[in-house]
């Protein structure tokens, strides 16, 4: 028997994504954009497996995940345009697995970066000199005083 926990990120509003946790696919909300499952065996609680499901764009098609009351995971694919008709989506969901959820997410993003070519992960980007803020340390001052001194220098 497996013990399964899940974390999903879903569109609460069209511009807002929030997390939800649960133990069943009925806990997976409509418009889920990321699903992370963690399973542990009751016999061997030391072994944890993680599976990530990431809906991706496939041309004019966008996909999302949702659970149902029959404990099934559904993939919802749409175009958003009534005049565009498609009968299949071959790249609707990316699935990957691993033992460490943090490494799994990092690795999955790198794979999608290479495969899709529609975005770049942070490690591959050049650091902007405008975003690099030097860390100031002034002996005897608190962090708030240092921040105030830093911001006051622009006034």
């Amino acid at each position: 028997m497996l013990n399964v926990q899940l974390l999903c990120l879903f569109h609460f509003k069209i511009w807002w994504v929030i997390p939800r946790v649960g133990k069943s696919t009925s806990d997976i909300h409509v418009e889920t954009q990321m699903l992370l499952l963690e399973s542990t065996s009751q016999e061997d609680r030391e072994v944890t497996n993680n599976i990530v499901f990431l809906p991706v764009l496939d041309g004019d098609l966008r996909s999302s995940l949702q659970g149902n009351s029959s404990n099934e995971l559904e993939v919802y694919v749409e175009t958003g345009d009534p005049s565009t008709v498609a009968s299949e989506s071959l790249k609707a969901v990316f699935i990957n697995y691993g033992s460490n959820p943090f490494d799994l997410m990092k690795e999955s993003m790198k794979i999608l970066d290479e495969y899709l070519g529609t975005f770049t992960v942070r490690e591959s980007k050049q650091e902007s000199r405008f975003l690099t803020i030097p860390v100031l340390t002034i002996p005897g001052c608190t962090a708030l005083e240092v921040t105030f001194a830093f911001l006051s220098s622009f006034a």
Side-chain angles (χ1 to χ4, degrees):
M1 182 79 179
L2 289 177
N3 180 22
V4 177
Q5 298 181 69
L6 62 89
L7 165 69
C8 63
L9 299 177
F10 70 96
H11 277 285
F12 174 68
K13 300 275 188 190
I14 195 166
W15 63 86
W16 200 260
V17 177
I18 61 173
R20 185 174 194 174
V21 294
K23 293 187 176 281
S24 169
T25 55
S26 60
D27 296 323
I28 301 171
H29 203 276
V30 174
E31 282 291 318
T32 292
Q33 299 300 306
M34 189 277 304
L35 172 62
L36 180 63
L37 297 177
E38 177 188 79
S39 68
T40 54
S41 170
Q42 286 186 348
E43 295 83 34
D44 188 5
R45 293 182 187 255
E46 297 293 320
V47 178
T48 301
N49 296 303
N50 296 280
I51 305 168
V52 65
F53 296 81
L54 295 167
V56 294
L57 296 174
D58 184 7
D60 292 334
L61 304 173
R62 70 175 285 278
S63 58
S64 62
L65 304 171
Q66 59 192 36
N68 64 28
S69 58
S70 300
N71 205 26
E72 299 169 331
L73 179 63
E74 298 176 346
V75 179
Y76 184 75
V77 180
E78 66 180 343
T79 64
D81 179 8
S83 65
T84 304
V85 179
S87 60
E88 66 181 21
S89 176
L90 300 177
K91 301 183 250 179
V93 179
F94 172 81
I95 303 171
N96 197 5
Y97 69 95
S99 58
N100 182 314
F102 301 102
D103 294 340
L104 173 61
M105 293 305 294
K106 228 179 209 186
E107 175 190 334
S108 297
M109 291 297 110
K110 287 179 181 178
I111 292 170
L112 281 172
D113 175 14
E114 290 178 23
Y115 181 71
L116 297 175
T118 56
F119 67 94
T120 305
V121 292
R122 184 174 32 194
E123 289 86 8
S124 301
K125 294 181 179 181
Q126 285 186 336
E127 188 175 298
S128 171
R129 63 184 179 92
F130 296 110
L131 296 178
T132 305
I133 299 174
V135 177
L136 299 176
T137 55
I138 301 174
C141 293
T142 66
L144 182 59
E145 292 169 330
V146 171
T147 302
F148 180 72
F150 178 73
L151 294 175
S152 297
S153 66
F154 292 104

